[in-house]
């Protein structure tokens, strides 16, 4: 099993019966990240997400992070609050914050794509996120991942 995958069915990950939500945000990195540092960050995120019943995906493109978190509302909002306090980046905007009926990434505690894996698609998605934060089409983000 890939370390990004959830080790048990996601239906068991919502003991409080919260609404299932998806939240996507754009943040600007305030530090430069090496590949090793990104891998360490992802390992940490995957471990914490697994414990909290959160699934999702993240991209790192030209000094920006785009991340989709999904799971029980309380857990997602708790993680997002922690993310907001992280001094290594600043939240530029929340692009999507909705109740969902099913997860987009039910088997991934944190899938990841670097810009070099996605080429022009990553840059187009970043531009869309930066230009139109009110009506960002989350499908642009989702299409960057093979689910």
């Amino acid at each position: 099993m890939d370390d990004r995958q959830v080790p048990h069915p996601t239906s068991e990950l919502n003991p409080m019966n919260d609404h299932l939500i998806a939240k996507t945000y754009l943040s600007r990195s305030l530090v430069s990240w090496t590949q090793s540092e990104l891998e360490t960050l992802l390992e940490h995120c995957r471990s914490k997400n697994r414990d909290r019943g959160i699934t999702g995906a993240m991209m790192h493109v030209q000094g920006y992070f785009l991340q989709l978190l999904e799971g029980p509302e309380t857990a997602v909002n708790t993680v997002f609050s922690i993310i907001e306090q992280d001094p290594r980046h600043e939240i530029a905007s929340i692009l999507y914050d909705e109740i969902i009926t099913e997860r987009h990434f039910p088997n991934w505690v944190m899938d990841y794509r670097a810009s070099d894996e996605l080429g022009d698609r990553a840059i187009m998605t970043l531009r869309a996120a930066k230009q139109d934060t009110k009506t960002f089409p989350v499908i642009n983000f989702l299409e960057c991942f093979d689910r």
Side-chain angles (χ1 to χ4, degrees):
M1 176 183 299
D2 188 310
D3 71 339
R4 298 175 295 181
Q5 292 184 305
V6 176
H8 39 74
T10 55
S11 60
E12 297 174 8
L13 299 178
N14 191 2
M16 297 177 65
N17 261 346
D18 280 351
H19 290 288
L20 192 62
I21 69 166
K23 183 177 291 215
T24 304
Y25 70 88
L26 172 68
S27 71
R28 185 175 66 84
S29 182
L30 300 176
V31 298
S32 296
W33 292 84
T34 66
Q35 186 60 36
S36 175
E37 290 168 333
L38 282 170
E39 289 170 10
T40 299
L41 173 68
L42 288 167
E43 287 173 20
H44 176 77
C45 292
R46 289 172 179 148
S47 173
K48 294 294 185 182
N49 287 357
R50 186 177 292 110
D51 293 345
R52 293 182 171 115
I54 292 176
T55 55
M58 180 168 58
M59 292 172 44
H60 184 240
V61 182
Q62 296 182 340
Y64 285 84
F65 286 98
L66 283 103
Q67 183 173 16
L68 181 141
L69 300 167
E70 57 190 7
E73 184 173 21
T74 301
V76 169
N77 288 332
T78 296
V79 169
F80 186 73
S81 293
I82 293 166
I83 291 168
E84 283 182 303
Q85 302 304 312
D86 189 328
R88 297 173 293 186
H89 68 120
E90 62 185 6
I91 303 297
S93 58
I94 296 174
L95 304 169
Y96 182 79
D97 190 5
E98 300 288 332
I99 294 174
I100 56 176
T101 57
E102 62 184 65
R103 295 172 188 255
H104 301 287
F105 297 92
N107 298 317
W108 302 104
V109 289
M110 184 54 57
D111 203 355
Y112 174 74
R113 297 291 184 275
S115 58
D116 58 346
E117 293 178 63
L118 297 168
D120 290 343
R121 174 173 274 183
I123 294 166
M124 291 184 328
T125 302
L126 174 62
R127 283 185 187 148
K130 288 169 65 177
Q131 290 175 356
D132 193 357
T133 61
K134 299 283 190 245
T135 60
F136 174 74
V138 75
I139 191 70
N140 289 3
F141 177 83
L142 296 174
E143 288 176 346
C144 292
F145 296 84
D146 301 323
R147 299 184 318 273

